[in-house]
Amino acid sequence: MGSVTWRGPAVAGRLRVLRPRPPRTRRGRRRLVRAVMLACVAALLPATWLHTVADARVRTTADAPAQQVAVVFGAGLWQGRPSPYLAHRLDAAAELYRTGKVKVVLVTGDNSRVEYDEPDAMRTYLTEHGVPDGRIVSDYAGFDTWDSCVRAKKIFGVDRAVLVSQGFHIRRAIALCRSAGIDAYGVGVDAVHDATWYYGGTREVFAAGKAVLDLVFRPDPHFLGPHEPGVAGALAATEPAEPAGVDGAG
């Protein structure tokens, strides 16, 4: 009895990769172009809206309005030190303090694990650049911009502030902090247009969509917690002591 050999298809043992095929008709191609254009417009709408509502409140360190508090958002660490982008933000905050535009600096960033501590690295950098330690307040649960804004208002009692970040992020920060109840202006720090800058600008297109959702649904931060008196205490320490009363009795 002869043996029977099964012969599989020529592609046996291979995975077929299905590739999208472009429309074959002119009408189909027009529909595809329209769909792509609509998707691009929908993606850009949130960023355009944020730019429109916040643009008038963007300032430089020279023309920023005097406020009691500056809020500096974290931007990553390199070997435990502020990244160049974060260092530029901290330089601007130090300048605001030296020129008397602000009295206290609130640094807000990520400390979700022991080996990564943005706020303490930011504090160290500021003290090295002339800001007294007693004028710096740390928020260790600023995991994103919305969390930082809500916590600045609800936990630290900030009502008015100058926000400090790069230009590609500052408008989103202004819009979110204003929605959280802070009368906010922003300093957009200049940055070299390197790969990080382009990445940040591209990321903002997607982050703007999340920002709109935050504005609509107003979620609680990852961590809220009790009120912290750090900002109020630091501001109180900047006020001159009242002169002692004079006893006028003869």
Side-chain angles (χ1 to χ4, degrees):
M1 182 175 177
S3 62
V4 177
T5 303
W6 179 82
R7 298 179 182 276
V11 294
R14 302 179 187 176
L15 293 176
R16 290 186 176 182
V17 179
L18 298 178
R19 295 182 177 86
R21 295 180 178 178
R24 295 181 178 179
T25 64
R26 182 176 298 176
R27 184 177 182 182
R29 288 193 290 270
R30 285 199 299 264
R31 287 180 176 176
L32 177 61
V33 170
R34 291 195 193 103
V36 171
M37 292 178 65
L38 286 174
C40 291
V41 170
L44 292 173
L45 273 177
T48 303
W49 177 76
L50 288 178
H51 192 283
T52 301
V53 300
D55 196 58
R57 286 180 168 254
V58 178
R59 299 286 191 271
T60 66
T61 53
D63 62 10
Q67 301 282 23
Q68 290 186 319
V69 180
V71 178
V72 186
F73 299 88
L77 303 178
W78 287 9
Q79 299 181 346
R81 296 283 297 174
S83 67
Y85 273 66
L86 180 53
H88 291 160
R89 299 180 187 188
L90 295 168
D91 289 338
E95 182 178 348
L96 290 171
Y97 178 82
R98 285 194 300 268
T99 57
K101 292 292 184 72
V102 301
K103 298 179 179 179
V104 171
V105 180
L106 173 63
V107 292
T108 174
D110 186 352
N111 182 213
S112 57
R113 55 191 190 276
V114 174
E115 69 275 11
Y116 190 86
D117 189 343
E118 279 188 318
D120 276 357
M122 295 161 76
R123 175 187 290 272
T124 298
Y125 187 96
L126 285 172
T127 57
E128 292 172 349
H129 289 76
V131 182
D133 186 74
R135 302 292 183 265
I136 305 168
V137 179
S138 299
D139 175 12
Y140 294 96
F143 299 129
D144 61 24
T145 306
W146 174 249
D147 282 15
S148 294
C149 290
V150 174
R151 286 178 55 80
K153 174 65 177 180
K154 292 185 176 181
I155 303 302
F156 294 93
V158 176
D159 295 318
R160 293 177 296 278
V162 177
L163 315 179
V164 184
S165 186
Q166 264 71 35
F168 55 73
H169 170 245
I170 194 63
R171 291 167 181 82
R172 177 162 62 94
I174 292 171
L176 290 175
C177 280
R178 293 192 71 200
S179 179
I182 299 173
D183 182 15
Y185 287 82
V187 171
V189 180
D190 291 333
V192 177
H193 289 196
D194 56 8
T196 302
W197 186 89
Y198 286 107
Y199 167 78
T202 303
R203 179 179 176 274
E204 279 302 306
V205 175
F206 300 98
K210 178 185 179 299
V212 171
L213 295 177
D214 289 336
L215 292 172
V216 172
F217 295 105
R218 306 177 65 81
D220 287 333
H222 292 80
F223 295 99
L224 196 56
H227 175 76
E228 294 189 16
V231 170
L235 288 173
T238 67
E239 299 298 329
E242 295 184 3
V246 177
D247 187 355

